[in-house]
Amino acid sequence: MNTAQHESTQASAAEINFGRNPAAPQQIRSEGAVPEEHPATPPAITELWTEIKGHLTAAAKQQKKYYDLRRRPWKPKVGEKVMKRDQPLSSAADNYAQKLAPKFSGPYIIAKYISTNTVKLSNPERPDKQQAHAHLQDLKPFTA
């Protein structure tokens, strides 16, 4: 596991930590062979980390490209009605199965933006109830 090459870093966990890959068991204990004290000099750790950083940057760009293929930019306006994604938990004691629960609740009204991606929601049916916060990723437009 520690010697398996990771797709993003193009290096193994052992290589990242120690600067080299450890010898495999068959290399260490072969008949009559004595393992080398210091195998061929590995690249300096800082050079290795610089190389890995480049691999991670390239992998992040590639992953972003695939993520953005199906991403739809949507920014609702204050006062707009939205549905909020729920993440209920199953409970055997209450005889409740999350699998059968509705995925969205609402409609809610966007009261204000807390940050660029977080909004405060108000429930028009229960204005006395405390307002909830939600991430834009968990919202979808309300269609009557």
Side-chain angles (χ1 to χ4, degrees), residues 96-108:
Y96 178 77
Q98 164 267 332
K99 187 176 186 176
L100 302 174
K103 297 202 184 321
F104 287 89
S105 65
Y108 295 97

Side-chain angles (χ1 to χ4, degrees), residues 3 22-31 33 35:
T3 58
Q26 62 267 22
Q27 292 172 324
I28 294 173
R29 302 283 181 221
S30 60
E31 284 291 323

Side-chain angles (χ1 to χ4, degrees), residues 16-75:
I16 292 170
N17 285 320
F18 306 120
R20 62 182 177 81
N21 275 320
Q26 62 267 22
Q27 292 172 324
I28 294 173
R29 302 283 181 221
S30 60
E31 284 291 323
V34 177
E36 290 183 37
E37 262 305 305
H38 300 285
T41 308
I45 294 287
T46 53
E47 293 172 12
L48 180 64
W49 286 352
T50 305
E51 184 180 332
I52 289 170
K53 197 174 186 181
H55 290 306
L56 285 173
T57 303
K61 284 181 184 175
Q62 184 72 12
Q63 291 164 5
K64 180 182 175 6
K65 180 181 122 185
Y66 288 123
Y67 177 81
D68 288 345
L69 284 176
R70 287 169 190 80
R71 184 82 178 131
R72 58 173 171 78
W74 176 67
K75 193 157 185 141

